[in-house]
Amino acid sequence: MNEAEKYAVQWDISAQYFYEKSYYSWMSEKLNGYEMVLEIGCGTGYSTLALAEKGFKVLAVDKNANCIVKAKELLNSSGFKDNQVTFIEGDVAEDSFRKMLVENYSFDIVICWNVGTYWGKEMIQYYLPHMYEYGLNTDQIKENPESSYSELIIWETCRIARTKNVPVHIVDRGGEILTEQTDPYYVMLKDEFGYPKILYDNLQADSISSGGRVLVTNGEVNIDKKIDIVFVSIVMC
Ligand SMILES: C[S@@+](CC[C@H](N)C(=O)[O-])C[C@H]1O[C@@H](n2cnc3c(N)ncnc32)[C@H](O)[C@@H]1O
């Protein structure tokens, strides 16, 4: 199995757990009032399923073809049809892909929940020019490549949303509660993209994975090894 396939298998287990605990349902409730959602990084589709169940129309984007295959299977087997959910494979760090999305599709809000991906040396090399364009320097990227990448994708999400003049919803999973007073990062993004408002909500939760990798003991998913996390919901509008 290559890294992209392994990632899809692992994330699927974590995401199913989040779905069963209704965490995606909590996230979806932040979108009440919108109709068409552009989901950046749909993974294996459990988040997309929660959105479809709440009645949203979804344009679900992911760069990992293995994730898209699983997500399509999940939505089809749950009875959702192409007229409610459309899947698009592509990388939002690529200018041409973002341009295609903005020119060819309409949406009322752009979301990016739990951004992440598998990681390797070639990945850093590939995304380096994009991270420089975003504004990071080599030291910052070396110090924490994964969070540099996450910041890049969140920034690209905001760029898409701003081009269409629609709000953006980010869900971050971390260890601490965030508010407008304790969080300089999203407040800075809100100002950079000229959104007048930023709304926070936090959910104390747990996870059977860390950094997208399921916690495994002796080759078995270890449900006793759950870790406490906080889902932070940030709406810029
Ligand atoms: C951790 S999963 C989260 C999936 C889903 N949002 C959820 O909460 O279950 C992140 C997904 O984002 C996708 N992704 C990462 N970088 C991306 C990019 N540059 N363009 C499109 N999708 C990306 C990954 O392939 C992965 O499936």
Side-chain angles (χ1 to χ4, degrees):
M1 243 196 254
N2 66 30
E3 284 305 306
E5 285 167 327
K6 269 192 238 163
Y7 181 86
V9 170
Q10 290 267 313
W11 180 257
D12 197 47
I13 300 169
S14 308
Q16 186 176 356
Y17 182 76
F18 289 163
Y19 176 81
E20 284 166 0
K21 298 276 288 193
S22 302
Y23 297 148
Y24 292 125
S25 174
W26 175 81
M27 297 171 205
S28 309
E29 279 159 16
K30 311 295 170 209
L31 309 180
N32 286 343
Y34 301 102
E35 192 185 343
M36 175 61 88
V37 177
L38 171 61
E39 182 182 23
I40 305 298
C42 63
T44 57
Y46 280 98
S47 48
T48 318
L49 178 59
L51 287 163
E53 284 172 342
K54 288 241 185 299
F56 294 104
K57 289 188 174 174
V58 191
L59 278 172
V61 167
D62 206 287
K63 73 176 175 119
N64 185 336
N66 304 281
C67 287
I68 294 268
V69 167
K70 282 185 181 295
K72 275 187 183 165
E73 278 169 11
L74 180 65
L75 272 287
N76 281 341
S77 65
S78 307
F80 290 98
K81 302 271 180 293
D82 295 352
N83 60 357
Q84 190 174 349
V85 182
T86 305
F87 288 99
I88 309 166
E89 189 189 326
D91 185 336
V92 292
E94 281 172 17
D95 294 344
S96 55
F97 182 66
R98 287 196 315 280
K99 188 166 180 279
M100 185 284 291
L101 282 178
V102 166
E103 287 180 357
N104 293 292
Y105 295 95
S106 301
F107 37 88
D108 307 317
I109 187 161
V110 186
I111 69 168
C112 183
W113 295 351
N114 303 306
V115 63
T117 186
Y118 56 93
W119 206 241
K121 218 173 168 188
E122 322 74 58
M123 291 269 294
I124 304 184
Q125 273 157 5
Y126 180 78
Y127 287 106
L128 213 49
H130 300 282
M131 294 193 208
Y132 289 142
E133 188 198 354
Y134 160 57
L136 294 172
N137 63 40
T138 310
D139 289 342
Q140 290 168 319
I141 298 166
K142 268 194 194 153
E143 200 181 309
N144 200 336
E146 290 190 35
S147 81
S148 299
Y149 179 75
S150 298
E151 281 188 26
L152 168 70
I153 301 310
I154 288 168
W155 186 66
E156 300 291 19
T157 299
C158 292
R159 287 221 279 189
I160 295 171
R162 215 55 192 120
T163 311
K164 288 288 246 199
N165 248 325
V166 298
V168 60
H169 182 219
I170 307 295
V171 173
D172 216 347
R173 60 189 195 292
E176 282 171 35
I177 285 176
L178 280 191
T179 66
E180 193 168 349
Q181 287 69 40
T182 58
D183 165 40
Y185 170 64
Y186 287 105
V187 171
M188 203 182 64
L189 273 185
K190 161 200 167 267
D191 291 341
E192 176 178 348
F193 287 97
Y195 286 104
K197 261 205 284 188
I198 187 161
L199 308 167
Y200 289 78
D201 199 10
N202 291 273
L203 179 72
Q204 306 265 13
D206 55 33
S207 174
I208 55 169
S209 68
S210 174
R213 297 279 178 216
V214 174
L215 303 168
V216 170
T217 308
N218 299 331
E220 298 283 326
V221 174
N222 188 343
I223 195 91
D224 299 327
K225 260 197 150 178
K226 285 186 286 241
I227 53 166
D228 290 334
I229 56 168
V230 178
F231 285 113
V232 187
S233 153
I234 300 115
V235 178
M236 292 177 247
C237 52

